[in-house]
Amino acid sequence: MATRTFPFSTLINKQTSVFPALEDAEVILERRDAENLVLMRSGRFEAMVKGLSLAARSLGIIAKANRTLAEEVFAEELPWLTWLPADARRECVTELLDQLLAGADTGLLLPFSRALREWQSTAEVYSDPELTRRLLGPFDTSEAADVERPGRADG
């Protein structure tokens, strides 16, 4: 997918330079104070959503029929899966497939993106044996102090 990038102010001040770029590219509008915006023609957007939906549903069908194959496909695209323990790898693949299918069906892909980022972070922790050992405990609580639960009413 071709993209062109413009400052957001260009859309406000010189629309005539932004809109022609949509003929053959998606436009990223960079904003200083907020997340960037993407402009695209509705036909390309609908094609992207339909393609994603078909791909997600197809992968879901494969996963139901052959979980091992689905794990192999994900491992090919997400090499960091190898750092997860086997049980966590299966849980990861299941969650990512479920999130992807739900996102393809609803158009809400942020939960999938969040789960993908969280699982990758988890895998990165497992890639460091010393960090994994420290996080799994046991923990030294000799200097720990009890803390009141926030919002708890006294008396």
Side-chain angles (χ1 to χ4, degrees):
M1 166 172 66
T3 60
R4 298 269 319 268
T5 303
F6 295 92
F8 184 77
S9 59
T10 304
L11 176 66
I12 295 168
N13 300 323
K14 302 178 204 169
Q15 298 99 353
T16 56
S17 19
V18 174
F19 291 121
L22 290 168
E23 287 300 321
D24 59 359
E26 275 62 75
V27 171
I28 298 173
L29 298 172
E30 294 179 328
R31 300 190 304 171
R32 282 182 270 161
D33 59 344
E35 190 173 2
N36 292 343
L37 300 174
V38 177
L39 293 177
M40 67 174 51
R41 297 224 178 250
S42 64
R44 286 198 295 252
F45 176 76
E46 289 167 8
M48 182 181 67
V49 169
K50 285 180 183 175
L52 173 62
S53 181
L54 174 65
R57 290 180 194 285
S58 298
L59 187 55
I61 291 168
I62 291 169
K64 287 177 186 166
N66 187 338
R67 179 60 63 174
T68 302
L69 179 59
E71 287 181 14
E72 289 173 12
V73 168
F74 266 63
E76 183 74 27
E77 288 301 313
L78 307 171
W80 48 262
L81 282 174
T82 193
W83 294 330
L84 292 172
D87 290 345
R89 193 176 310 128
R90 280 188 290 281
E91 183 182 347
C92 172
V93 168
T94 297
E95 181 178 345
L96 291 177
L97 280 171
D98 290 347
Q99 293 289 351
L100 184 59
L101 289 168
D105 191 52
T106 63
L108 301 173
L109 291 168
L110 286 176
F112 168 76
S113 179
R114 187 173 40 252
L116 183 64
R117 188 175 52 252
E118 290 167 356
W119 275 109
Q120 182 173 355
S121 295
T122 300
E124 290 170 3
V125 168
Y126 276 107
S127 75
D128 181 342
E130 175 58 22
L131 180 57
T132 301
R133 186 195 62 71
R134 287 184 18 229
L135 290 174
L136 289 174
F139 303 102
D140 178 11
T141 58
S142 61
E143 295 183 25
D146 288 335
V147 177
E148 290 291 323
R149 182 180 204 116
R152 186 174 172 188
D154 289 311

